[in-house]
Amino acid sequence: SHAGMTRFAALRREIMSSEISFLMEAHDGLSAKIVEEAGFRGVWASGLTTSAALGLRDSNEASWTQVLDQLEYMADATRLPILVDGDTGHGNFNNVRRFVRKLGERGLAGVCIEDKLFPKTNSFIGEGQALADIEEFCGRIKAGKDSQVDDDFVLIARVEALISGLGMAEALRRAEAYHQAGADAILIHSKRSTAEEILAFTRAWGNRAPLVIVPTMYYATPTAVYREAGISTVIWANHLLRSALVAMRETAARIAEDESLMRVEGQVASVQEVFRLVGNAELEQAERQYLPAR
Ligand code: SPV
Ligand code: MG
């Protein structure tokens, strides 16, 4: 458990430990609570799903302060450490500095930034997305590390070379440069349907720094394979939003069709459950403490 640790230290331990860790996606305060109740030890604040929950595309349509406000709701809703999907860092080194500082001030334990250009495009869209210049991206990493408000804040550098079709050598070259620039870990991303290139990268990388993966497209690979390969952290990147979408769509369709709540009432969470999840019991207790007795 993370008892007695700051959230910065807790995330650092999850990322740095030799044991495999799992981060579960959340996109708002409620989903962050659900991640915690499921027993996960950390949250992935996905850019894709945080955007989608706002009805926006994963293209930096939400401003960075709008993202920060969403993240603050998540940090307030759970005691778990949160790894923030920082996209490209919202600009150049200077934007990264300010973003990293504000994340730390609001209790977000770490950030992952990717070596692409602002405004970013989701990795699963199109082919051959342009990558950042290596030296320029290293500047973003250094600036981020120099701006962290807590020594245990985690900055992860995400390598998009395999996604962009630039090959293994380029992916390794970039990962090594980002490691040298001070990244705490490397997220190596792939959109293939099998884990082959991820495992090849992992073998070539060795133990230079912890590796983080996002097996959204190569979902059929057993987790034992990642454990054996020495992967540090697996991110289940978008599955709460995707499951909510199916559930919401079914409920809406049923109510529209029936013009009645009869069929859905037994299928949806009770109103009492909503009260419980957002902590109404604590408010009742506080009212007894702080409101004049009536
Ligand atoms: C996200 O969850 O927003 C990610 C992972 O960055 S991916 O969508 O695979 O790019
Ligand atoms: Mg993202």
Side-chain angles (χ1 to χ4, degrees):
S1 92
H2 295 139
M5 280 188 182
T6 68
R7 287 200 275 195
F8 302 105
L11 182 63
R12 175 162 291 275
R13 189 166 87 173
E14 291 301 321
I15 300 293
M16 296 299 162
S17 82
S18 56
E19 218 176 289
I20 199 165
S21 301
F22 303 97
L23 300 180
M24 183 72 225
E25 171 259 335
H27 48 274
D28 58 15
L30 193 71
S31 52
K33 281 182 191 290
I34 287 171
V35 171
E36 178 170 322
E37 289 196 347
F40 283 97
R41 290 150 63 115
V43 176
W44 167 246
S46 159
L48 170 65
T49 68
T50 301
S51 304
L54 296 171
L56 299 176
R57 291 164 286 211
D58 188 13
S59 305
N60 298 122
E61 293 184 330
S63 72
W64 75 272
T65 56
Q66 289 175 322
V67 171
L68 193 62
D69 287 342
Q70 282 290 105
L71 294 169
E72 187 172 25
Y73 285 111
M74 292 186 221
D76 287 348
T78 176
R79 282 172 302 182
L80 291 181
I82 300 174
L83 176 63
V84 172
D85 179 356
D87 294 337
T88 61
H90 300 277
N92 73 2
F93 80 92
N94 191 39
N95 304 92
V96 171
R97 290 200 295 192
R98 196 163 162 73
F99 189 54
V100 164
R101 198 162 68 241
K102 293 295 163 190
L103 290 178
E105 287 171 1
R106 297 202 193 185
L108 285 309
V111 70
C112 176
I113 58 172
E114 64 202 47
D115 56 355
K116 294 204 302 220
L117 307 171
F118 181 93
K120 59 81 55 80
T121 301
N122 186 272
S123 300
F124 304 138
I125 296 175
E127 300 297 329
Q129 291 187 25
L131 298 194
D133 171 78
I134 294 184
E135 266 186 70
E136 187 276 329
F137 190 70
C138 286
R140 279 186 245 170
I141 294 167
K142 288 178 192 156
K145 288 305 290 177
D146 287 344
S147 304
Q148 61 190 25
V149 301
D150 189 289
D151 288 345
D152 288 322
F153 186 88
V154 171
L155 188 148
I156 298 174
R158 167 165 158 181
V159 175
E160 288 278 293
L162 300 178
I163 294 279
S164 286
L166 297 179
M168 193 59 64
E170 180 67 9
L172 285 162
R173 193 161 76 92
R174 285 176 174 265
E176 177 60 23
Y178 306 160
H179 172 50
Q180 293 300 329
D184 295 298
I186 299 295
L187 190 158
I188 181 68
H189 204 12
S190 168
K191 59 179 179 179
R192 299 272 177 86
S193 60
T194 72
E196 263 167 65
E197 69 179 3
I198 288 293
L199 295 171
F201 179 94
T202 303
R203 283 190 296 273
W205 179 252
N207 284 323
R208 281 178 264 180
L211 290 182
V212 180
I213 62 169
V214 186
T216 301
M217 290 301 167
Y218 48 99
Y219 58 85
T221 308
T223 297
V225 172
Y226 307 139
R227 210 175 244 121
E228 269 162 47
I231 296 292
S232 157
T233 303
V234 177
I235 295 176
W236 312 121
N238 47 45
H239 302 79
L240 292 195
L241 182 98
R242 287 166 63 195
S243 61
L245 199 154
V246 171
M248 289 193 286
R249 187 175 274 150
E250 270 176 22
T251 300
R254 267 198 197 157
I255 294 174
E257 195 180 301
D258 295 357
E259 297 183 344
S260 163
L261 303 175
M262 194 58 202
R263 267 208 300 167
V264 304
E265 180 56 31
Q267 309 295 315
V268 297
S270 68
V271 173
Q272 290 305 321
E273 172 59 8
V274 177
F275 292 158
R276 186 197 66 76
L277 203 47
V278 298
N280 276 59
E282 189 280 336
L283 178 56
E284 278 168 35
Q285 196 183 22
E287 284 171 346
R288 285 194 293 276
Q289 186 178 353
Y290 297 115
L291 284 179
R294 272 185 293 150

